[in-house]
Amino acid sequence: MERILPATDENIKKGAEILKGGGLVAFPTETVYGLGANAFLSQAVARVFEVKGRPRFDPLIVHISHRQMVFHLFREVPSVAEVLMEKFWPGPLTLVLPKKEEVPDIVTAGLSTVAVRMPDHPVALKLIEWTGAPVAAPSANRFGHLSPTRAQEVALDLGEGVDLILDGGKTKIGVESTVIMIEEEKIFLLRPGGVSVEEIEKWVGKIETTLSSPEILSPGTLKKHYAPRIPLYLFEGDVEELLLCDLSGIAIVSPFPIAHSREEVKVLSEKGDIREVASNLFSVLRELEESHFRAIISLTVEEKGLGRAVMDRLKRASSGYVKVREGKLVL
Ligand code: TXA
Ligand code: MG
């Protein structure tokens, strides 16, 4: 069997059979590609950790296709969660709430909570529905690498470990879902993502965005994560000055168009749209790490709306900031 198949109904059905039998299927969502296993088959979920090289303390997101499925996962559904599910599902919002006992510990890394979302992608929804069970799926990359936005990138990262990769083209949003935890009507941001904090706050009021140690509450949010294989630095100063430096072997990533652009400048959105910036971020970084460049310097965006998720990923991918001093690049 060929490992990457187009995501036709027939192939999605094959995928569902594989998941039912305890195999692993990579599939597109609206954010990034996921590496799925039947959430109620512990052995299958264990294989997800092996194939990704992911530490067992890092819990997975469980994907559902119908609202009713949350009743197999969450112990209770508070009213704020109802509101958020109504407004944002299907979509890039993951809710963390106390779990039902039946949810295998391996899915939640032993935590008493479980993370759940309903992806806004027909292939993902059909796959889950035809499997007839929720699907635990982290992003389909090697642990620590950039999340894949294309099927070929999944194959490059995970290769033989996956039984089937469903190719649904490039994913639309390009950064992972927003993860929030609901605790007695209080809401904490664990990871900025595809739904902005501002949008969430419109429906449920102020949410807590300044957790001092999100890595404890959400072990997957390790500082260094989502990194390309060549060093990446951030730059916040005067771009004109930067372009006057010796940049041999260095690619410049610019979210938005800049004046006096050159060949080594990769613009993420020519039309200046932050959604396009997010959707191209990981694929451009992956292309650059495969190219002849030795390092990447990325310009920054304002940390509001989707820009918060973009900057979160850029900071995690980076080894710090560079500056220009007397015409030279310094760390
Ligand atoms: O967009 C996405 O969310 C993608 C697609 C495939 O759905 N998935 C994804 O999964 O990014 P992953 O495993 O790469 O990231 C899951 C995040 C991690 O930061 C993890 O720590 C957090 O969700 N998480 C999962 N369960 C949790 C829990 N019970 N408590 C706190 N954080 C949790
Ligand atoms: Mg991930």
Side-chain angles (χ1 to χ4, degrees):
M1 184 172 73
E2 206 172 311
R3 195 155 276 109
I4 302 187
L5 294 177
T8 58
D9 280 3
E10 198 192 329
N11 291 331
I12 298 171
K13 282 188 187 126
K14 276 188 201 163
E17 290 308 314
I18 292 172
L19 289 177
K20 280 190 218 172
L24 304 189
V25 177
F27 60 96
T29 76
E30 79 281 32
T31 57
V32 299
Y33 275 75
L35 174 63
N38 184 327
F40 284 107
L41 299 179
S42 297
Q43 303 244 339
V45 178
R47 258 191 75 204
V48 169
F49 284 88
E50 274 162 39
V51 168
K52 274 193 63 120
R54 179 170 172 134
R56 293 280 181 111
F57 58 75
D58 193 353
L60 308 182
I61 294 174
V62 177
H63 296 69
I64 61 172
S65 54
H66 295 282
R67 284 269 288 278
Q68 286 76 357
M69 279 177 155
V70 297
F71 298 108
H72 298 289
L73 300 163
F74 291 152
R75 206 154 59 208
E76 271 170 65
V77 179
S79 56
V80 279
E82 292 274 4
V83 173
L84 292 171
M85 291 191 274
E86 177 65 33
K87 298 298 169 198
F88 295 104
W89 281 3
L93 180 68
T94 296
L95 303 180
V96 175
L97 277 163
K99 77 174 188 82
K100 279 234 160 114
E101 203 152 330
E102 298 81 283
V103 180
D105 280 336
I106 183 142
V107 171
T108 65
L111 296 174
S112 60
T113 54
V114 62
V116 179
R117 83 178 192 98
M118 190 193 294
D120 187 13
H121 196 295
V123 174
L125 292 172
K126 283 179 188 170
L127 181 68
I128 300 161
E129 184 171 341
W130 294 342
T131 302
V135 173
S139 49
N141 49 282
R142 289 285 303 171
F143 180 70
H145 199 202
L146 305 161
S147 293
T149 56
R150 292 186 281 225
Q152 295 75 6
E153 296 168 357
V154 178
L156 280 175
D157 258 29
L158 304 180
E160 304 291 301
V162 193
D163 299 306
L164 172 64
I165 300 169
L166 290 169
D167 187 351
K170 190 174 176 224
T171 61
K172 193 175 67 200
I173 294 180
V175 290
E176 302 86 343
S177 62
T178 303
V179 181
I180 60 174
M181 185 168 70
I182 302 170
E183 223 175 48
E184 287 160 12
E185 310 290 304
K186 232 181 165 187
I187 304 178
F188 300 88
L189 178 72
L190 299 183
R191 178 177 76 181
V195 174
S196 71
V197 168
E198 293 87 338
E199 282 172 80
I200 299 170
E201 288 183 333
K202 264 190 227 154
W203 301 101
V204 295
K206 205 85 195 122
I207 71 175
E208 215 52 63
T209 57
T210 50
L211 276 183
S212 53
S213 50
E215 56 279 5
I216 293 173
L217 281 173
S218 191
T221 51
L222 299 171
K223 279 238 160 51
K224 184 87 181 171
H225 214 101
Y226 316 102
R229 280 193 298 267
I230 56 175
L232 180 145
Y233 302 95
L234 300 176
F235 180 79
E236 270 181 347
D238 179 353
V239 180
E240 300 278 309
E241 252 186 68
L242 176 67
L243 292 180
L244 288 174
C245 296
D246 174 14
L247 295 174
S248 44
I250 300 175
I252 306 291
V253 169
S254 178
F256 301 120
I258 52 175
H260 314 296
S261 196
R262 309 203 295 247
E263 204 206 320
E264 65 266 36
V265 178
K266 310 291 167 196
V267 175
L268 297 179
S269 173
E270 286 292 350
K271 58 176 193 274
D273 179 351
I274 187 68
R275 280 171 304 188
E276 198 181 9
V277 170
S279 106
N280 287 330
L281 178 66
F282 290 149
S283 54
V284 167
L285 293 181
R286 275 182 180 259
E287 279 160 22
L288 290 173
E289 70 180 7
E290 299 298 336
S291 70
H292 63 279
F293 290 106
R294 292 182 286 118
I296 303 166
I297 295 178
S298 177
L299 310 184
T300 58
V301 296
E302 200 185 337
E303 290 188 46
K304 65 160 210 255
L306 248 192
R308 188 195 285 264
V310 169
M311 280 310 295
D312 173 78
R313 304 307 186 271
L314 276 174
K315 284 180 187 166
R316 285 176 204 286
S318 82
S319 316
Y321 284 81
V322 286
K323 293 193 184 67
V324 177
R325 201 169 291 147
E326 289 161 11
K328 290 207 166 61
L329 281 175
V330 292
L331 275 176

